[in-house]
Amino acid sequence: MSELLVTAANDYTAMMVDYAAGGLAPAAALVVETHLALRPDGAGDVLAADALGGLLLEALPPAAMAAAPLPSGFAQAERAVDRALSDARARIRMAAEGGAGLAWTPRFPGWGEHVLPVAGAALVRIGAGKAMLRHGHGGQELTLVLYGAFEDEFGRYEPGDIVVADSQIEHRPRVSGRSACICLTAVEGGYRLPWWAALAQKMMGRA
Ligand code: ZN
């Protein structure tokens, strides 16, 4: 399927509204920004959300819009954030081209992780023919396919497709096609894994 694929359409719309209003956490904003770069056809939703964001701004009292003096050190902190973001974007581009040159930390057989310098954001690589463990989520999980394809109980996802999963959803992603699959993820609250897998992660010092 080449349509925009989402597990929960309402979650997607809410996420786009939050993105346009600048209200997403940095990791989620990075996922949405990359999604829009890969799938410009998703931009219609964001234009609508931009209009809505404008209405929200108009509704704010003028005092809320007044420029506050910048605290000292703010510009320096902002530059550090900019550097981290451009570093993350460069790694995401590498991942979208197959991930050569990126180091992967094994989390489970066939499943490697490359943590990005943006809190909560990571690249996940699942080898060809491999499956991730069946898992639930402590909070919202955004998964954007960058390279290859995967499928779960709800659909099949290709580069540019974004999957919104929340604490209600359990799934078992598995790679489809002949290549590995690399995704950009933003995960709140971690994964909920079977007891034996959680134990194995603890023993690997990853929990
Ligand atoms: Zn998941």
Side-chain angles (χ1 to χ4, degrees):
M1 286 170 71
S2 60
E3 290 300 302
L4 176 73
L5 292 162
V6 290
T7 308
N10 288 341
D11 288 351
Y12 179 79
T13 306
M15 182 175 70
M16 288 303 182
V17 170
D18 279 352
Y19 176 72
L24 284 186
L30 190 62
V31 172
V32 173
E33 159 197 306
T34 310
H35 161 63
L36 292 172
L38 291 170
R39 293 292 298 268
D41 55 333
D45 286 316
V46 173
L47 288 178
D50 267 336
L52 183 58
L55 291 177
L56 291 174
L57 283 180
E58 279 169 25
L60 284 176
M65 304 290 293
L70 289 180
S72 64
F74 182 85
Q76 200 180 353
E78 199 173 44
R79 277 198 298 276
V81 169
D82 283 348
R83 271 198 303 275
L85 266 178
S86 53
D87 182 8
R89 288 180 183 126
R91 292 168 199 228
I92 290 168
R93 276 194 294 275
M94 289 167 79
E97 287 164 8
L102 290 172
W104 301 97
T105 305
R107 290 196 67 168
F108 287 103
W111 169 14
E113 185 183 58
H114 181 98
V115 174
L116 293 173
V118 172
L123 297 166
V124 173
R125 181 186 186 279
I126 314 175
K130 303 280 186 188
M132 257 174 102
L133 296 165
R134 182 171 186 80
H135 64 269
H137 314 90
Q140 191 179 66
E141 176 200 57
L142 303 178
T143 305
L144 172 69
V145 182
L146 297 173
Y147 181 83
F150 82 87
E151 56 192 68
D152 66 8
E153 293 84 337
F154 305 100
R156 183 173 188 276
Y157 315 100
E158 295 177 347
D161 290 335
I162 194 166
V163 183
V164 184
D166 60 22
S167 53
Q168 312 291 316
I169 289 172
E170 275 195 12
H171 63 162
R172 182 168 190 257
R174 60 188 176 281
V175 173
S176 55
R178 290 186 184 172
S179 69
C181 180
I182 304 178
C183 297
L184 170 62
T185 62
V187 179
E188 291 172 353
Y191 295 107
R192 285 205 309 262
L193 296 163
W195 67 267
W196 53 269
L199 183 66
Q201 275 216 319
K202 263 202 178 92
M203 291 169 73
M204 290 165 76
R206 301 280 314 164

Short mmCIF file of all heavy atoms in Angstrom, two decimals, residues 15-54:
data_model
loop_
_atom_site.label_atom_id
_atom_site.label_comp_id
_atom_site.label_asym_id
_atom_site.label_seq_id
_atom_site.Cartn_x
_atom_site.Cartn_y
_atom_site.Cartn_z
N MET A 15 -1.72 14.95 16.11
CA MET A 15 -0.27 15.13 16.08
C MET A 15 0.12 16.26 15.12
O MET A 15 0.99 17.07 15.42
CB MET A 15 0.37 13.81 15.64
CG MET A 15 1.87 13.81 15.60
SD MET A 15 2.46 12.16 15.20
CE MET A 15 1.97 12.02 13.48
N MET A 16 -0.55 16.32 13.96
CA MET A 16 -0.24 17.35 12.98
C MET A 16 -0.63 18.74 13.50
O MET A 16 0.07 19.72 13.25
CB MET A 16 -0.96 17.06 11.65
CG MET A 16 -0.34 15.90 10.91
SD MET A 16 1.43 16.20 10.61
CE MET A 16 1.88 14.75 9.71
N VAL A 17 -1.75 18.81 14.20
CA VAL A 17 -2.16 20.09 14.80
C VAL A 17 -1.11 20.53 15.82
O VAL A 17 -0.66 21.69 15.83
CB VAL A 17 -3.56 19.98 15.45
CG1 VAL A 17 -3.88 21.22 16.27
CG2 VAL A 17 -4.62 19.75 14.38
N ASP A 18 -0.68 19.59 16.65
CA ASP A 18 0.35 19.90 17.65
C ASP A 18 1.65 20.34 16.97
O ASP A 18 2.32 21.26 17.42
CB ASP A 18 0.65 18.67 18.52
CG ASP A 18 -0.39 18.48 19.61
OD1 ASP A 18 -1.24 19.39 19.77
OD2 ASP A 18 -0.35 17.45 20.30
N TYR A 19 1.99 19.67 15.87
CA TYR A 19 3.23 19.99 15.16
C TYR A 19 3.18 21.43 14.63
O TYR A 19 4.11 22.21 14.81
CB TYR A 19 3.45 19.01 14.01
CG TYR A 19 4.65 19.32 13.15
CD1 TYR A 19 5.94 19.12 13.63
CD2 TYR A 19 4.49 19.83 11.86
CE1 TYR A 19 7.05 19.41 12.83
CE2 TYR A 19 5.59 20.12 11.07
CZ TYR A 19 6.86 19.91 11.56
OH TYR A 19 7.96 20.20 10.79
N ALA A 20 2.05 21.77 13.99
CA ALA A 20 1.92 23.11 13.41
C ALA A 20 1.95 24.19 14.50
O ALA A 20 2.42 25.30 14.28
CB ALA A 20 0.63 23.20 12.60
N ALA A 21 1.45 23.85 15.67
CA ALA A 21 1.41 24.81 16.78
C ALA A 21 2.72 24.82 17.56
O ALA A 21 2.85 25.56 18.53
CB ALA A 21 0.24 24.48 17.71
N GLY A 22 3.68 23.97 17.14
CA GLY A 22 4.98 23.92 17.83
C GLY A 22 4.88 23.23 19.17
O GLY A 22 5.74 23.42 20.03
N GLY A 23 3.86 22.40 19.36
CA GLY A 23 3.63 21.80 20.67
C GLY A 23 4.15 20.39 20.83
O GLY A 23 3.95 19.78 21.87
N LEU A 24 4.81 19.84 19.79
CA LEU A 24 5.30 18.47 19.91
C LEU A 24 6.65 18.44 20.62
O LEU A 24 7.45 19.37 20.50
CB LEU A 24 5.48 17.84 18.53
CG LEU A 24 4.23 17.39 17.78
CD1 LEU A 24 4.64 16.67 16.50
CD2 LEU A 24 3.36 16.48 18.63
N ALA A 25 6.90 17.36 21.34
CA ALA A 25 8.23 17.14 21.92
C ALA A 25 9.24 17.05 20.78
O ALA A 25 8.88 16.66 19.66
CB ALA A 25 8.21 15.86 22.75
N PRO A 26 10.51 17.39 21.03
CA PRO A 26 11.50 17.43 19.94
C PRO A 26 11.59 16.14 19.13
O PRO A 26 11.69 16.19 17.90
CB PRO A 26 12.81 17.71 20.68
CG PRO A 26 12.40 18.44 21.91
CD PRO A 26 11.06 17.87 22.30
N ALA A 27 11.54 14.98 19.80
CA ALA A 27 11.67 13.72 19.06
C ALA A 27 10.49 13.53 18.11
O ALA A 27 10.67 13.14 16.95
CB ALA A 27 11.76 12.54 20.04
N ALA A 28 9.28 13.82 18.59
CA ALA A 28 8.09 13.67 17.75
C ALA A 28 8.12 14.67 16.60
O ALA A 28 7.76 14.34 15.46
CB ALA A 28 6.83 13.85 18.60
N ALA A 29 8.59 15.89 16.88
CA ALA A 29 8.67 16.91 15.83
C ALA A 29 9.66 16.47 14.74
O ALA A 29 9.42 16.69 13.55
CB ALA A 29 9.10 18.24 16.43
N LEU A 30 10.74 15.82 15.16
CA LEU A 30 11.73 15.32 14.21
C LEU A 30 11.11 14.25 13.30
O LEU A 30 11.35 14.21 12.09
CB LEU A 30 12.92 14.74 14.98
CG LEU A 30 14.18 14.37 14.21
CD1 LEU A 30 14.78 15.60 13.53
CD2 LEU A 30 15.20 13.74 15.16
N VAL A 31 10.29 13.38 13.89
CA VAL A 31 9.61 12.33 13.11
C VAL A 31 8.66 12.96 12.09
O VAL A 31 8.66 12.60 10.91
CB VAL A 31 8.85 11.35 14.03
CG1 VAL A 31 8.00 10.40 13.21
CG2 VAL A 31 9.82 10.57 14.91
N VAL A 32 7.87 13.93 12.53
CA VAL A 32 6.88 14.54 11.63
C VAL A 32 7.58 15.32 10.52
O VAL A 32 7.21 15.23 9.35
CB VAL A 32 5.92 15.46 12.42
CG1 VAL A 32 5.02 16.24 11.47
CG2 VAL A 32 5.07 14.63 13.38
N GLU A 33 8.62 16.05 10.88
CA GLU A 33 9.39 16.82 9.89
C GLU A 33 9.95 15.88 8.81
O GLU A 33 9.88 16.17 7.61
CB GLU A 33 10.51 17.55 10.64
CG GLU A 33 11.67 17.99 9.81
CD GLU A 33 12.89 18.33 10.68
OE1 GLU A 33 12.75 19.16 11.60
OE2 GLU A 33 13.97 17.77 10.44
N THR A 34 10.48 14.73 9.23
CA THR A 34 11.06 13.79 8.27
C THR A 34 9.96 13.15 7.43
O THR A 34 10.12 12.95 6.22
CB THR A 34 11.87 12.71 9.02
OG1 THR A 34 12.76 13.33 9.94
CG2 THR A 34 12.65 11.85 8.05
N HIS A 35 8.85 12.82 8.07
CA HIS A 35 7.70 12.26 7.36
C HIS A 35 7.26 13.20 6.23
O HIS A 35 7.03 12.77 5.11
CB HIS A 35 6.58 12.05 8.38
CG HIS A 35 5.20 11.92 7.81
ND1 HIS A 35 4.84 10.89 6.97
CD2 HIS A 35 4.09 12.67 7.98
CE1 HIS A 35 3.56 11.04 6.64
NE2 HIS A 35 3.09 12.11 7.23
N LEU A 36 7.19 14.50 6.54
CA LEU A 36 6.74 15.47 5.54
C LEU A 36 7.76 15.64 4.42
O LEU A 36 7.40 15.89 3.27
CB LEU A 36 6.43 16.81 6.20
CG LEU A 36 5.20 16.77 7.12
CD1 LEU A 36 5.07 18.07 7.88
CD2 LEU A 36 3.94 16.49 6.31
N ALA A 37 9.04 15.48 4.77
CA ALA A 37 10.07 15.57 3.73
C ALA A 37 9.97 14.38 2.78
O ALA A 37 10.16 14.50 1.57
CB ALA A 37 11.45 15.63 4.38
N LEU A 38 9.65 13.20 3.34
CA LEU A 38 9.57 11.99 2.52
C LEU A 38 8.24 11.88 1.79
O LEU A 38 8.15 11.28 0.73
CB LEU A 38 9.75 10.74 3.41
CG LEU A 38 11.15 10.52 4.00
CD1 LEU A 38 11.12 9.41 5.03
CD2 LEU A 38 12.13 10.18 2.89
N ARG A 39 7.19 12.41 2.42
CA ARG A 39 5.83 12.30 1.85
C ARG A 39 5.17 13.66 1.78
O ARG A 39 4.29 13.98 2.57
CB ARG A 39 4.99 11.35 2.73
CG ARG A 39 5.43 9.90 2.70
CD ARG A 39 5.18 9.26 1.33
NE ARG A 39 3.77 9.27 1.01
CZ ARG A 39 2.96 8.26 1.31
NH1 ARG A 39 3.39 7.21 1.94
NH2 ARG A 39 1.68 8.32 0.98
N PRO A 40 5.61 14.49 0.83
CA PRO A 40 5.04 15.84 0.76
C PRO A 40 3.52 15.81 0.59
O PRO A 40 2.85 16.79 0.91
CB PRO A 40 5.71 16.46 -0.46
CG PRO A 40 6.83 15.55 -0.84
CD PRO A 40 6.56 14.22 -0.23
N ASP A 41 2.96 14.69 0.12
CA ASP A 41 1.51 14.63 -0.05
C ASP A 41 0.79 14.66 1.29
O ASP A 41 -0.41 14.90 1.34
CB ASP A 41 1.10 13.38 -0.85
CG ASP A 41 1.62 12.09 -0.24
OD1 ASP A 41 2.66 12.14 0.45
OD2 ASP A 41 0.99 11.05 -0.44
N GLY A 42 1.53 14.45 2.36
CA GLY A 42 0.92 14.56 3.69
C GLY A 42 0.75 16.01 4.10
O GLY A 42 0.14 16.30 5.11
N ALA A 43 1.30 16.94 3.29
CA ALA A 43 1.34 18.33 3.70
C ALA A 43 -0.03 18.98 3.76
O ALA A 43 -0.20 19.98 4.45
CB ALA A 43 2.24 19.13 2.76
N GLY A 44 -1.00 18.42 3.03
CA GLY A 44 -2.35 19.00 3.07
C GLY A 44 -2.88 19.07 4.49
O GLY A 44 -3.44 20.08 4.91
N ASP A 45 -2.63 18.02 5.26
CA ASP A 45 -3.08 17.99 6.64
C ASP A 45 -2.41 19.10 7.44
O ASP A 45 -3.00 19.69 8.32
CB ASP A 45 -2.74 16.65 7.29
CG ASP A 45 -3.65 15.56 6.77
OD1 ASP A 45 -4.86 15.82 6.68
OD2 ASP A 45 -3.14 14.48 6.43
N VAL A 46 -1.14 19.35 7.12
CA VAL A 46 -0.41 20.34 7.91
C VAL A 46 -0.84 21.75 7.56
O VAL A 46 -0.93 22.60 8.42
CB VAL A 46 1.10 20.17 7.71
CG1 VAL A 46 1.85 21.29 8.38
CG2 VAL A 46 1.53 18.85 8.29
N LEU A 47 -1.18 21.97 6.27
CA LEU A 47 -1.67 23.30 5.91
C LEU A 47 -2.95 23.60 6.68
O LEU A 47 -3.11 24.69 7.22
CB LEU A 47 -1.93 23.37 4.40
CG LEU A 47 -0.67 23.40 3.55
CD1 LEU A 47 -1.04 23.41 2.07
CD2 LEU A 47 0.17 24.62 3.88
N ALA A 48 -3.84 22.61 6.76
CA ALA A 48 -5.08 22.80 7.53
C ALA A 48 -4.74 23.09 8.98
O ALA A 48 -5.33 23.97 9.61
CB ALA A 48 -5.96 21.55 7.42
N ALA A 49 -3.77 22.36 9.50
CA ALA A 49 -3.40 22.54 10.89
C ALA A 49 -2.76 23.92 11.10
O ALA A 49 -2.95 24.55 12.13
CB ALA A 49 -2.44 21.45 11.32
N ASP A 50 -2.02 24.40 10.08
CA ASP A 50 -1.43 25.74 10.18
C ASP A 50 -2.50 26.80 10.35
O ASP A 50 -2.37 27.71 11.15
CB ASP A 50 -0.61 26.05 8.91
CG ASP A 50 0.84 25.66 9.09
OD1 ASP A 50 1.29 25.59 10.25
OD2 ASP A 50 1.51 25.43 8.08
N ALA A 51 -3.57 26.65 9.55
CA ALA A 51 -4.68 27.60 9.65
C ALA A 51 -5.27 27.55 11.05
O ALA A 51 -5.54 28.58 11.67
CB ALA A 51 -5.74 27.26 8.61
N LEU A 52 -5.43 26.36 11.56
CA LEU A 52 -5.98 26.19 12.91
C LEU A 52 -5.04 26.81 13.94
O LEU A 52 -5.46 27.50 14.86
CB LEU A 52 -6.18 24.70 13.20
CG LEU A 52 -6.82 24.34 14.52
CD1 LEU A 52 -8.18 24.99 14.64
CD2 LEU A 52 -6.95 22.83 14.64
N GLY A 53 -3.72 26.59 13.74
CA GLY A 53 -2.74 27.17 14.65
C GLY A 53 -2.85 28.69 14.68
O GLY A 53 -2.73 29.31 15.73
N GLY A 54 -3.11 29.30 13.50
CA GLY A 54 -3.27 30.75 13.42
C GLY A 54 -4.45 31.21 14.25
O GLY A 54 -4.39 32.20 14.97
#
